[in-house]
Amino acid sequence: MIRILKNDAPPDSKFKLTKRDIAILTKWIDQGAQWKPHWAFMSPLAPNLDKLKKGQNEIDYFIDKS
Protein backbone atom coordinates (compact mmCIF):
# COMPACT_ATOMS: atom_id res chain seq x y z
CA MET A 1 0.00 0.00 0.00
CA ILE A 2 2.90 2.35 0.72
CA ARG A 3 4.02 2.03 -2.90
CA ILE A 4 0.62 3.27 -4.07
CA LEU A 5 0.68 6.32 -1.80
CA LYS A 6 4.33 7.22 -2.33
CA ASN A 7 4.98 9.79 -5.03
CA ASP A 8 8.55 8.98 -6.00
CA ALA A 9 8.22 8.65 -9.77
CA PRO A 10 10.75 10.60 -11.84
CA PRO A 11 9.48 14.11 -12.69
CA ASP A 12 9.24 13.31 -16.41
CA SER A 13 7.33 10.06 -15.83
CA LYS A 14 3.88 9.81 -17.36
CA PHE A 15 2.93 7.04 -14.94
CA LYS A 16 1.07 8.84 -12.18
CA LEU A 17 -1.92 7.51 -10.29
CA THR A 18 -4.97 9.73 -10.04
CA LYS A 19 -6.81 10.16 -6.75
CA ARG A 20 -9.52 7.89 -8.18
CA ASP A 21 -6.95 5.20 -9.06
CA ILE A 22 -5.51 5.37 -5.54
CA ALA A 23 -9.00 5.10 -4.00
CA ILE A 24 -9.85 2.05 -6.12
CA LEU A 25 -6.58 0.29 -5.27
CA THR A 26 -6.89 1.16 -1.58
CA LYS A 27 -10.43 -0.25 -1.45
CA TRP A 28 -9.31 -3.40 -3.26
CA ILE A 29 -6.48 -3.91 -0.76
CA ASP A 30 -8.81 -3.25 2.19
CA GLN A 31 -11.16 -5.91 0.81
CA GLY A 32 -8.39 -8.51 1.01
CA ALA A 33 -6.55 -8.35 -2.31
CA GLN A 34 -3.68 -10.81 -2.38
CA TRP A 35 -0.41 -10.36 -4.20
CA LYS A 36 0.76 -13.33 -6.22
CA PRO A 37 3.79 -13.46 -8.47
CA HIS A 38 3.06 -13.27 -12.19
CA TRP A 39 3.30 -16.66 -13.89
CA ALA A 40 5.82 -15.31 -16.40
CA PHE A 41 8.36 -14.69 -13.64
CA MET A 42 8.03 -18.11 -11.98
CA SER A 43 10.39 -20.95 -12.81
CA PRO A 44 8.63 -23.69 -14.75
CA LEU A 45 8.16 -27.04 -13.03
CA ALA A 46 8.76 -30.28 -14.83
CA PRO A 47 5.55 -32.33 -15.07
CA ASN A 48 5.40 -35.72 -13.41
CA LEU A 49 5.38 -38.23 -16.28
CA ASP A 50 5.81 -41.38 -14.21
CA LYS A 51 2.68 -42.94 -15.71
CA LEU A 52 3.80 -43.11 -19.34
CA LYS A 53 2.46 -46.21 -21.06
CA LYS A 54 4.81 -48.47 -23.00
CA GLY A 55 5.50 -46.90 -26.39
CA GLN A 56 4.08 -43.55 -25.31
CA ASN A 57 6.16 -40.38 -25.44
CA GLU A 58 5.72 -37.13 -23.54
CA ILE A 59 3.55 -35.51 -26.22
CA ASP A 60 1.19 -38.50 -26.27
CA TYR A 61 0.81 -38.18 -22.49
CA PHE A 62 -0.44 -34.61 -22.78
CA ILE A 63 -2.71 -35.37 -25.74
CA ASP A 64 -4.35 -38.18 -23.73
CA LYS A 65 -5.01 -35.72 -20.88
CA SER A 66 -6.97 -33.29 -23.11
Side-chain angles (χ1 to χ4, degrees), residues 12-50:
D12 59 343
S13 174
K14 296 180 183 179
F15 301 108
K16 299 194 189 291
L17 293 174
T18 65
K19 289 182 182 182
R20 181 176 183 270
D21 294 335
I22 293 170
I24 290 169
L25 289 169
T26 302
K27 183 177 180 181
W28 182 49
I29 291 167
D30 290 343
Q31 290 174 340
Q34 295 180 2
W35 180 86
K36 294 180 183 177
H38 192 276
W39 64 266
F41 300 110
M42 296 173 60
S43 298
L45 301 174
N48 183 2
L49 301 177
D50 292 341

Side-chain angles (χ1 to χ4, degrees), residues 1 4 6 32 40 43 52:
M1 175 102 134
I4 294 168
K6 197 170 184 182
S43 298
L52 285 176

Side-chain angles (χ1 to χ4, degrees), residues 45-61:
L45 301 174
N48 183 2
L49 301 177
D50 292 341
K51 299 179 182 178
L52 285 176
K53 298 173 188 168
K54 186 175 181 179
Q56 186 181 39
N57 67 32
E58 292 84 1
I59 300 298
D60 295 330
Y61 177 83

